[in-house]
């Protein structure tokens, strides 16, 4: 839901409050070049992701989310993930919860997934992808050097965004530069987005998104520890835990159509569209994708029916749930519109 220009930053890497750092000054472009040139082939660390989007858990569950995973508030969640990586074929991630721990390991072409809450081990192979299906780069011809890539990103965001260098900071005990993006479009709920880049390695250590008028981030994702050295080889060992039941990973694409429970999988791809651009982009989901089964209300599975009525405000063409960073419109014709925008922008996009 964050505009594509910001997602380009979020995708490069991943929160710990930081003290100030004493670093030589760099321009935003120089910091982006550092991130583009970063070659951290091996590392380990702990990532903490905190979100306070203010989304009712009933609606999260109805749209494919995971209700009940957070702290019990409206879309408030904190997740801690331990990660290890060594090259392109050795990786491990572990997520702890009240029910146990889930661990995913890639060792070469082998995949290993263990859920301690059910004592189930699932094994399989890394799926093969057709290179022809990969999206084109946002530039033509050869891949540009990091400086060209950084300039392309700045050119893409600057028409609607003020890009500045923030004060040097400390994240996960490491000195880092910060780039701050401040929207200049009316109608967005995002006040700013920032990215902290490790001064030594160029790795992205933290990304934060703050709502308009807020003093703390609504989305805060980053490392609390980061070690840019190769983890021990036994971290990636594929062993069967004592007493675990072993299952084979089902190949992607082989699930029978009859087992699919969403209209989005039937026939052609759903006609999801985007209205607007930049920070005021609105995603429009067609009615056939989000309409629950006829007996959903009777079974207690209709997320809209589960919403407290006082959370919805009437607008032309439907009703809107608006939070500090996100608005969701339930249109009278069954469509759902979502964006980090004001209710007025959603209503205009629905026309």
């Amino acid at each position: 839901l964050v505009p594509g220009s910001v997602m380009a930053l979020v995708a490069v890497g991943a929160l710990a409050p930081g003290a100030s750092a004493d670093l030589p000054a760099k321009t935003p472009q120089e910091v982006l070049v550092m991130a583009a040139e970063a070659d951290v082939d091996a590392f380990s660390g702990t990532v903490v992701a905190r979100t306070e989007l203010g989304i009712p858990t009933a609606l999260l569950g109805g749209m494919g989310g995971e209700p009940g995973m957070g702290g019990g508030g409206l879309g408030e969640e904190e997740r801690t993930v331990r990660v290890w990586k060594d090259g392109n074929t050795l990786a491990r991630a572990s997520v702890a919860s009240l029910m146990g721990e889930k661990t995913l390991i890639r060792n070469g072409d082998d995949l290993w997934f263990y859920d301690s809450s059910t004592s189930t081990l699932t094994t399989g192979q890394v799926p093969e992808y057709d290179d022809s299906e990969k999206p084109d780069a946002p530039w033509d011809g050869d891949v540009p050097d990091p400086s060209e890539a950084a300039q392309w990103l700045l050119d893409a965001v600057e028409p609607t965004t003020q890009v500045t260098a923030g004060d040097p900071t400390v994240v996960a005990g490491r000195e880092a530069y910060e780039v701050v993006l401040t929207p200049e479009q009316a109608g967005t709920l995002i006040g700013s987005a920032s990215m902290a880049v490790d001064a030594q390695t160029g790795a992205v250590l933290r990304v934060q998104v703050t709502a308009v008028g807020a003093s703390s981030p609504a989305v805060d994702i980053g490392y609390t520890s980061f070690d840019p050295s190769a983890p021990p080889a036994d971290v990636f060992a594929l062993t069967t835990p004592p007493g675990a039941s072993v299952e084979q990973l089902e190949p992607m694409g082989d699930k029978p159509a009859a087992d699919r429970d969403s209209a989005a999988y039937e026939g052609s791809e759903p006609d999801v569209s985007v209205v607007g651009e930049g920070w005021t982009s609105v995603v429009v989901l067609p009615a056939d994708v989000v309409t629950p089964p006829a007996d959903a209300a009777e079974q207690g599975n209709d997320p809209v029916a589960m919403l407290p009525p006082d959370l919805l405000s009437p607008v032309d063409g439907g009703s809107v749930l608006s939070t500090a960073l996100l608005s969701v419109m339930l249109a009278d014709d069954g469509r759902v519109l979502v964006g980090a925008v004001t209710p007025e922008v959603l209503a205009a996009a629905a026309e």
Side-chain angles (χ1 to χ4, degrees):
L1 302 177
V2 182
S5 55
V6 181
M7 290 306 298
L9 301 181
V10 177
V12 229
L15 111 89
S20 61
D22 185 14
L23 293 171
K26 287 186 180 293
T27 66
Q29 182 175 4
E30 289 173 327
V31 177
L32 292 175
V33 169
M34 284 183 59
E37 288 181 331
D39 186 19
V40 186
D41 197 47
F43 68 91
S44 60
T46 300
V47 177
V48 174
R50 296 189 181 102
T51 57
E52 296 183 19
L53 300 182
I55 307 172
T57 54
L59 187 60
L60 281 176
M63 299 183 70
E66 296 180 325
M69 297 295 289
L74 296 182
E76 298 178 7
E77 183 176 2
E78 177 172 317
R79 190 73 61 89
T80 299
V81 184
R82 293 181 296 157
V83 292
W84 300 260
K85 184 177 183 294
D86 190 354
N88 294 323
T89 60
L90 292 174
R92 173 173 177 164
S94 295
V95 184
S97 68
L98 294 177
M99 302 299 293
E101 188 172 62
K102 297 179 180 180
T103 300
L104 174 66
I105 298 176
R106 174 180 178 175
N107 191 319
D109 290 333
D110 295 321
L111 289 177
W112 184 99
F113 176 73
Y114 180 65
D115 186 346
S116 67
S117 65
T118 59
S119 192
T120 302
L121 173 65
T122 305
T123 62
Q125 297 289 304
V126 176
E128 295 183 3
Y129 295 98
D130 185 353
D131 288 344
S132 64
E133 297 179 355
K134 293 181 180 179
D136 294 332
W139 43 77
D140 296 325
D142 297 332
V143 176
D145 62 36
S147 179
E148 291 174 328
Q151 189 58 52
W152 169 85
L153 180 57
L154 287 175
D155 291 343
V157 302
E158 282 183 339
T160 60
T161 310
Q162 179 184 10
V163 183
T164 58
D167 294 331
T169 185
V170 175
V171 178
R174 302 180 64 86
E175 293 184 326
Y177 290 98
E178 191 164 46
V179 174
V180 180
L181 288 78
T182 304
E184 296 185 327
Q185 285 178 291
T188 180
L189 296 176
I190 296 177
S192 65
S194 65
M195 175 180 72
V197 177
D198 186 9
Q200 291 186 2
T201 67
V204 178
L205 298 178
R206 182 183 65 199
V207 170
Q208 297 177 321
V209 181
T210 303
V212 172
S215 58
S216 60
V219 176
D220 200 337
I221 307 170
Y223 288 96
T224 56
S225 67
F226 182 80
D227 179 7
S229 58
D234 59 2
V235 167
F236 310 105
L238 306 176
T239 57
T240 302
S245 59
V246 181
E247 300 177 353
Q248 281 296 120
L249 180 68
E250 187 175 318
M252 296 179 64
D254 289 352
K255 189 174 183 180
D259 293 340
R260 299 171 182 169
D261 56 4
S262 173
Y265 294 101
E266 302 295 337
S268 59
E269 292 294 321
D271 186 21
V272 178
S273 59
V274 178
V275 178
E277 59 184 15
W279 301 92
T280 55
S281 300
V282 173
V283 177
V284 183
L285 306 176
D288 59 349
V289 171
V290 294
T291 300
D295 61 348
E298 298 177 6
Q299 301 297 323
N301 296 326
D302 185 349
V304 176
M306 295 168 65
L307 289 174
D310 57 355
L311 287 179
L312 298 173
S313 301
V315 295
D316 291 340
S319 55
V320 171
L321 163 69
S322 185
T323 71
L325 196 64
L326 195 68
S327 293
V328 180
M329 177 177 178
L330 309 176
D332 292 337
D333 58 10
R335 293 177 299 161
V336 173
L337 294 84
V338 184
V341 296
T342 62
E344 292 77 15
V345 173
L346 281 187
E351 294 179 353

